[in-house]
mmCIF file of all heavy atoms in Angstrom:
data_model
loop_
_atom_site.group_PDB
_atom_site.id
_atom_site.type_symbol
_atom_site.label_atom_id
_atom_site.label_comp_id
_atom_site.label_asym_id
_atom_site.label_seq_id
_atom_site.Cartn_x
_atom_site.Cartn_y
_atom_site.Cartn_z
ATOM 1 N N GLN A 24 -34.430 28.222 19.306
ATOM 2 C CA GLN A 24 -33.335 27.709 18.452
ATOM 3 C C GLN A 24 -32.511 26.658 19.321
ATOM 4 O O GLN A 24 -32.468 26.705 20.498
ATOM 5 C CB GLN A 24 -32.356 28.839 18.026
ATOM 6 C CG GLN A 24 -33.042 29.784 17.046
ATOM 7 C CD GLN A 24 -32.087 30.851 16.549
ATOM 8 O OE1 GLN A 24 -31.154 31.189 17.273
ATOM 9 N NE2 GLN A 24 -32.370 31.351 15.371
ATOM 10 N N ALA A 25 -31.948 25.873 18.481
ATOM 11 C CA ALA A 25 -31.070 24.741 19.061
ATOM 12 C C ALA A 25 -29.980 24.596 18.179
ATOM 13 O O ALA A 25 -30.048 24.726 16.962
ATOM 14 C CB ALA A 25 -31.839 23.459 19.301
ATOM 15 N N TRP A 26 -28.756 24.090 18.749
ATOM 16 C CA TRP A 26 -27.634 23.717 17.854
ATOM 17 C C TRP A 26 -27.808 22.490 17.101
ATOM 18 O O TRP A 26 -28.503 21.556 17.563
ATOM 19 C CB TRP A 26 -26.380 23.691 18.774
ATOM 20 C CG TRP A 26 -25.856 24.959 19.229
ATOM 21 C CD1 TRP A 26 -25.927 25.320 20.611
ATOM 22 C CD2 TRP A 26 -25.190 25.917 18.467
ATOM 23 N NE1 TRP A 26 -25.333 26.564 20.713
ATOM 24 C CE2 TRP A 26 -24.811 26.923 19.430
ATOM 25 C CE3 TRP A 26 -24.789 26.020 17.282
ATOM 26 C CZ2 TRP A 26 -24.107 28.084 19.076
ATOM 27 C CZ3 TRP A 26 -24.052 27.250 16.853
ATOM 28 C CH2 TRP A 26 -23.775 28.206 17.754
ATOM 29 N N VAL A 27 -27.272 22.358 15.844
ATOM 30 C CA VAL A 27 -27.333 21.274 15.035
ATOM 31 C C VAL A 27 -25.978 20.606 15.161
ATOM 32 O O VAL A 27 -24.886 21.140 14.926
ATOM 33 C CB VAL A 27 -27.566 21.577 13.607
ATOM 34 C CG1 VAL A 27 -27.652 20.312 12.783
ATOM 35 C CG2 VAL A 27 -29.002 22.258 13.467
ATOM 36 N N GLU A 28 -25.989 19.265 15.477
ATOM 37 C CA GLU A 28 -24.750 18.545 15.699
ATOM 38 C C GLU A 28 -24.566 17.507 14.559
ATOM 39 O O GLU A 28 -25.402 17.296 13.671
ATOM 40 C CB GLU A 28 -24.737 17.826 17.053
ATOM 41 C CG GLU A 28 -25.034 18.827 18.203
ATOM 42 C CD GLU A 28 -25.089 18.026 19.564
ATOM 43 O OE1 GLU A 28 -24.771 16.822 19.586
ATOM 44 O OE2 GLU A 28 -25.623 18.654 20.573
ATOM 45 N N SER A 29 -23.424 16.755 14.671
ATOM 46 C CA SER A 29 -23.244 15.730 13.636
ATOM 47 C C SER A 29 -22.631 14.524 14.350
ATOM 48 O O SER A 29 -21.953 14.618 15.429
ATOM 49 C CB SER A 29 -22.309 16.231 12.574
ATOM 50 O OG SER A 29 -21.976 15.170 11.709
ATOM 51 N N LEU A 30 -22.889 13.350 13.811
ATOM 52 C CA LEU A 30 -22.384 12.048 14.394
ATOM 53 C C LEU A 30 -21.171 11.755 13.693
ATOM 54 O O LEU A 30 -20.592 10.608 14.034
ATOM 55 C CB LEU A 30 -23.499 10.967 14.293
ATOM 56 C CG LEU A 30 -24.752 11.234 14.963
ATOM 57 C CD1 LEU A 30 -25.652 9.995 14.852
ATOM 58 C CD2 LEU A 30 -24.629 11.598 16.466
ATOM 59 N N ARG A 31 -20.606 12.443 12.792
ATOM 60 C CA ARG A 31 -19.416 12.041 12.019
ATOM 61 C C ARG A 31 -18.112 12.130 12.800
ATOM 62 O O ARG A 31 -17.120 11.532 12.403
ATOM 63 C CB ARG A 31 -19.299 12.855 10.716
ATOM 64 C CG ARG A 31 -20.473 12.656 9.726
ATOM 65 C CD ARG A 31 -20.379 13.442 8.563
ATOM 66 N NE ARG A 31 -21.464 13.164 7.649
ATOM 67 C CZ ARG A 31 -22.641 13.785 7.612
ATOM 68 N NH1 ARG A 31 -22.871 14.673 8.530
ATOM 69 N NH2 ARG A 31 -23.584 13.514 6.680
ATOM 70 N N HIS A 32 -18.119 13.026 13.813
ATOM 71 C CA HIS A 32 -16.860 13.252 14.561
ATOM 72 C C HIS A 32 -17.254 13.637 16.020
ATOM 73 O O HIS A 32 -18.371 14.299 16.240
ATOM 74 C CB HIS A 32 -15.969 14.262 13.882
ATOM 75 C CG HIS A 32 -14.573 14.231 14.520
ATOM 76 N ND1 HIS A 32 -14.184 15.063 15.497
ATOM 77 C CD2 HIS A 32 -13.480 13.617 14.072
ATOM 78 C CE1 HIS A 32 -12.941 14.835 15.850
ATOM 79 N NE2 HIS A 32 -12.432 13.979 14.923
ATOM 80 N N HIS A 33 -16.452 13.421 16.927
ATOM 81 C CA HIS A 33 -16.744 13.721 18.280
ATOM 82 C C HIS A 33 -16.866 15.190 18.503
ATOM 83 O O HIS A 33 -17.750 15.614 19.324
ATOM 84 C CB HIS A 33 -15.653 13.240 19.301
ATOM 85 C CG HIS A 33 -15.658 11.601 19.430
ATOM 86 N ND1 HIS A 33 -15.683 10.863 18.284
ATOM 87 C CD2 HIS A 33 -15.829 10.932 20.494
ATOM 88 C CE1 HIS A 33 -15.751 9.618 18.746
ATOM 89 N NE2 HIS A 33 -15.767 9.581 20.056
ATOM 90 N N ASP A 34 -15.944 16.012 17.891
ATOM 91 C CA ASP A 34 -15.978 17.517 18.078
ATOM 92 C C ASP A 34 -16.891 18.287 17.245
ATOM 93 O O ASP A 34 -16.958 19.461 17.333
ATOM 94 C CB ASP A 34 -14.520 17.970 17.915
ATOM 95 C CG ASP A 34 -13.582 17.488 18.869
ATOM 96 O OD1 ASP A 34 -14.018 17.253 20.060
ATOM 97 O OD2 ASP A 34 -12.367 17.248 18.576
ATOM 98 N N ASP A 35 -17.634 17.577 16.375
ATOM 99 C CA ASP A 35 -18.478 18.203 15.361
ATOM 100 C C ASP A 35 -19.798 18.457 16.020
ATOM 101 O O ASP A 35 -20.843 17.766 15.681
ATOM 102 C CB ASP A 35 -18.652 17.373 14.066
ATOM 103 C CG ASP A 35 -19.117 18.215 12.933
ATOM 104 O OD1 ASP A 35 -19.324 19.360 13.121
ATOM 105 O OD2 ASP A 35 -19.293 17.692 11.839
ATOM 106 N N GLU A 36 -19.834 19.333 17.059
ATOM 107 C CA GLU A 36 -21.092 19.616 17.836
ATOM 108 C C GLU A 36 -21.918 20.858 17.400
ATOM 109 O O GLU A 36 -23.053 20.831 17.693
ATOM 110 C CB GLU A 36 -20.641 19.836 19.296
ATOM 111 C CG GLU A 36 -19.911 18.635 19.925
ATOM 112 C CD GLU A 36 -19.794 18.876 21.343
ATOM 113 O OE1 GLU A 36 -20.675 19.251 22.129
ATOM 114 O OE2 GLU A 36 -18.619 18.598 21.903
ATOM 115 N N ARG A 37 -21.376 21.727 16.638
ATOM 116 C CA ARG A 37 -22.040 22.955 16.389
ATOM 117 C C ARG A 37 -21.853 23.264 14.899
ATOM 118 O O ARG A 37 -20.901 24.049 14.512
ATOM 119 C CB ARG A 37 -21.596 24.196 17.241
ATOM 120 C CG ARG A 37 -21.892 23.968 18.673
ATOM 121 C CD ARG A 37 -21.495 25.159 19.436
ATOM 122 N NE ARG A 37 -21.857 24.977 20.929
ATOM 123 C CZ ARG A 37 -21.735 25.902 21.809
ATOM 124 N NH1 ARG A 37 -21.199 27.055 21.546
ATOM 125 N NH2 ARG A 37 -22.107 25.667 23.062
ATOM 126 N N ARG A 38 -22.635 22.732 14.062
ATOM 127 C CA ARG A 38 -22.627 22.961 12.594
ATOM 128 C C ARG A 38 -23.522 24.219 12.242
ATOM 129 O O ARG A 38 -23.312 24.725 11.168
ATOM 130 C CB ARG A 38 -23.151 21.721 11.834
ATOM 131 C CG ARG A 38 -22.253 20.506 12.137
ATOM 132 C CD ARG A 38 -22.798 19.298 11.294
ATOM 133 N NE ARG A 38 -22.759 19.592 9.845
ATOM 134 C CZ ARG A 38 -21.705 19.275 9.165
ATOM 135 N NH1 ARG A 38 -20.604 18.693 9.785
ATOM 136 N NH2 ARG A 38 -21.542 19.499 7.899
ATOM 137 N N GLY A 39 -24.419 24.497 13.105
ATOM 138 C CA GLY A 39 -25.299 25.679 12.813
ATOM 139 C C GLY A 39 -26.440 25.686 13.734
ATOM 140 O O GLY A 39 -26.549 24.917 14.776
ATOM 141 N N LEU A 40 -27.450 26.418 13.434
ATOM 142 C CA LEU A 40 -28.641 26.544 14.228
ATOM 143 C C LEU A 40 -29.900 26.091 13.465
ATOM 144 O O LEU A 40 -29.905 26.118 12.316
ATOM 145 C CB LEU A 40 -28.925 27.925 14.797
ATOM 146 C CG LEU A 40 -27.836 28.570 15.681
ATOM 147 C CD1 LEU A 40 -28.032 30.032 15.949
ATOM 148 C CD2 LEU A 40 -27.899 27.917 17.124
ATOM 149 N N THR A 41 -30.905 25.637 14.210
ATOM 150 C CA THR A 41 -32.171 25.380 13.553
ATOM 151 C C THR A 41 -33.330 25.983 14.414
ATOM 152 O O THR A 41 -33.223 26.124 15.668
ATOM 153 C CB THR A 41 -32.379 23.787 13.657
ATOM 154 O OG1 THR A 41 -33.708 23.528 13.147
ATOM 155 C CG2 THR A 41 -32.267 23.179 15.039
ATOM 156 N N ASP A 42 -34.305 26.518 13.664
ATOM 157 C CA ASP A 42 -35.495 27.143 14.385
ATOM 158 C C ASP A 42 -36.474 25.998 14.757
ATOM 159 O O ASP A 42 -36.738 25.132 13.933
ATOM 160 C CB ASP A 42 -36.063 28.122 13.384
ATOM 161 C CG ASP A 42 -35.275 29.294 13.279
ATOM 162 O OD1 ASP A 42 -34.378 29.632 14.067
ATOM 163 O OD2 ASP A 42 -35.482 30.042 12.232
ATOM 164 N N LEU A 43 -36.960 26.062 15.937
ATOM 165 C CA LEU A 43 -37.968 25.141 16.425
ATOM 166 C C LEU A 43 -39.335 25.969 16.641
ATOM 167 O O LEU A 43 -39.313 26.983 17.225
ATOM 168 C CB LEU A 43 -37.550 24.434 17.670
ATOM 169 C CG LEU A 43 -36.140 23.675 17.616
ATOM 170 C CD1 LEU A 43 -35.746 23.174 18.931
ATOM 171 C CD2 LEU A 43 -36.221 22.703 16.560
ATOM 172 N N HIS A 44 -40.366 25.312 16.259
ATOM 173 C CA HIS A 44 -41.643 26.004 16.390
ATOM 174 C C HIS A 44 -42.084 26.167 17.931
ATOM 175 O O HIS A 44 -41.944 25.161 18.628
ATOM 176 C CB HIS A 44 -42.772 25.181 15.617
ATOM 177 C CG HIS A 44 -43.934 26.154 15.296
ATOM 178 N ND1 HIS A 44 -44.851 26.592 16.194
ATOM 179 C CD2 HIS A 44 -44.321 26.604 14.075
ATOM 180 C CE1 HIS A 44 -45.740 27.181 15.582
ATOM 181 N NE2 HIS A 44 -45.412 27.343 14.264
ATOM 182 N N PRO A 45 -42.374 27.412 18.310
ATOM 183 C CA PRO A 45 -42.676 27.555 19.801
ATOM 184 C C PRO A 45 -43.958 26.796 20.205
ATOM 185 O O PRO A 45 -44.116 26.509 21.454
ATOM 186 C CB PRO A 45 -42.853 29.057 19.896
ATOM 187 C CG PRO A 45 -43.179 29.550 18.567
ATOM 188 C CD PRO A 45 -42.485 28.627 17.556
ATOM 189 N N ASP A 46 -44.866 26.448 19.326
ATOM 190 C CA ASP A 46 -46.083 25.803 19.761
ATOM 191 C C ASP A 46 -45.878 24.312 19.884
ATOM 192 O O ASP A 46 -46.818 23.573 20.303
ATOM 193 C CB ASP A 46 -47.192 25.995 18.761
ATOM 194 C CG ASP A 46 -47.689 27.439 18.783
ATOM 195 O OD1 ASP A 46 -47.538 28.118 19.843
ATOM 196 O OD2 ASP A 46 -48.352 27.939 17.717
ATOM 197 N N VAL A 47 -44.637 23.819 19.687
ATOM 198 C CA VAL A 47 -44.302 22.383 19.802
ATOM 199 C C VAL A 47 -43.168 22.304 20.800
ATOM 200 O O VAL A 47 -43.272 21.386 21.725
ATOM 201 C CB VAL A 47 -43.892 21.857 18.395
ATOM 202 C CG1 VAL A 47 -43.454 20.343 18.650
ATOM 203 C CG2 VAL A 47 -45.005 21.859 17.426
ATOM 204 N N PHE A 48 -42.161 23.120 20.862
ATOM 205 C CA PHE A 48 -41.044 22.978 21.649
ATOM 206 C C PHE A 48 -40.894 24.079 22.760
ATOM 207 O O PHE A 48 -39.923 24.160 23.447
ATOM 208 C CB PHE A 48 -39.775 23.024 20.800
ATOM 209 C CG PHE A 48 -39.572 21.868 19.838
ATOM 210 C CD1 PHE A 48 -40.046 21.945 18.614
ATOM 211 C CD2 PHE A 48 -39.004 20.754 20.256
ATOM 212 C CE1 PHE A 48 -39.993 20.889 17.673
ATOM 213 C CE2 PHE A 48 -38.850 19.669 19.445
ATOM 214 C CZ PHE A 48 -39.315 19.775 18.081
ATOM 215 N N ALA A 49 -41.961 24.853 22.916
ATOM 216 C CA ALA A 49 -41.958 25.935 23.977
ATOM 217 C C ALA A 49 -43.320 26.154 24.483
ATOM 218 O O ALA A 49 -43.792 27.286 24.488
ATOM 219 C CB ALA A 49 -41.336 27.207 23.417
ATOM 220 N N VAL A 50 -44.034 25.076 24.866
ATOM 221 C CA VAL A 50 -45.370 25.190 25.494
ATOM 222 C C VAL A 50 -45.237 25.133 26.960
ATOM 223 O O VAL A 50 -44.127 25.015 27.586
ATOM 224 C CB VAL A 50 -46.262 23.941 25.006
ATOM 225 C CG1 VAL A 50 -46.498 24.008 23.486
ATOM 226 C CG2 VAL A 50 -45.718 22.723 25.450
ATOM 227 N N ARG A 51 -46.328 25.395 27.659
ATOM 228 C CA ARG A 51 -46.355 25.462 29.083
ATOM 229 C C ARG A 51 -46.161 24.058 29.629
ATOM 230 O O ARG A 51 -46.785 23.126 29.192
ATOM 231 C CB ARG A 51 -47.726 25.982 29.609
ATOM 232 C CG ARG A 51 -47.786 26.188 31.199
ATOM 233 C CD ARG A 51 -49.190 26.499 31.520
ATOM 234 N NE ARG A 51 -49.661 27.716 30.888
ATOM 235 C CZ ARG A 51 -49.332 28.982 31.358
ATOM 236 N NH1 ARG A 51 -48.693 29.041 32.604
ATOM 237 N NH2 ARG A 51 -49.823 29.979 30.748
ATOM 238 N N PRO A 52 -45.137 23.981 30.686
ATOM 239 C CA PRO A 52 -44.848 22.582 31.109
ATOM 240 C C PRO A 52 -45.898 22.062 32.056
ATOM 241 O O PRO A 52 -45.848 22.251 33.322
ATOM 242 C CB PRO A 52 -43.533 22.778 31.818
ATOM 243 C CG PRO A 52 -43.498 24.266 32.124
ATOM 244 C CD PRO A 52 -44.235 24.971 31.097
ATOM 245 N N ARG A 53 -46.830 21.280 31.503
ATOM 246 C CA ARG A 53 -47.909 20.771 32.284
ATOM 247 C C ARG A 53 -47.623 19.362 32.758
ATOM 248 O O ARG A 53 -47.683 18.368 32.054
ATOM 249 C CB ARG A 53 -49.167 20.627 31.413
ATOM 250 C CG ARG A 53 -49.717 21.993 30.887
ATOM 251 C CD ARG A 53 -50.604 22.617 32.027
ATOM 252 N NE ARG A 53 -51.675 21.759 32.497
ATOM 253 C CZ ARG A 53 -52.850 21.673 31.823
ATOM 254 N NH1 ARG A 53 -53.120 22.487 30.819
ATOM 255 N NH2 ARG A 53 -53.755 20.856 32.257
ATOM 256 N N LEU A 54 -47.188 19.282 34.065
ATOM 257 C CA LEU A 54 -46.785 17.951 34.598
ATOM 258 C C LEU A 54 -47.976 17.046 34.776
ATOM 259 O O LEU A 54 -47.909 15.833 34.782
ATOM 260 C CB LEU A 54 -46.133 18.098 35.980
ATOM 261 C CG LEU A 54 -44.781 18.929 35.905
ATOM 262 C CD1 LEU A 54 -44.157 19.044 37.253
ATOM 263 C CD2 LEU A 54 -43.835 18.310 34.909
#
């Protein structure tokens, strides 16, 4: 999960959460 932000205001940083697929955003870090 990651926080969802907005560009409408400086303090509008946490509007909610979004689920991210683990096979795309949580794979083994292969340098």
Side-chain angles (χ1 to χ4, degrees):
Q24 292 184 334
W26 286 106
V27 178
E28 306 175 15
S29 177
L30 303 182
R31 295 180 179 87
H32 194 270
H33 287 55
D34 296 325
D35 201 359
E36 296 187 48
R37 296 186 176 182
R38 300 182 63 89
L40 293 171
T41 177
D42 288 340
L43 304 177
H44 203 286
D46 291 338
V47 176
F48 294 92
V50 299
R51 185 186 299 273
R53 295 280 303 274
L54 298 183

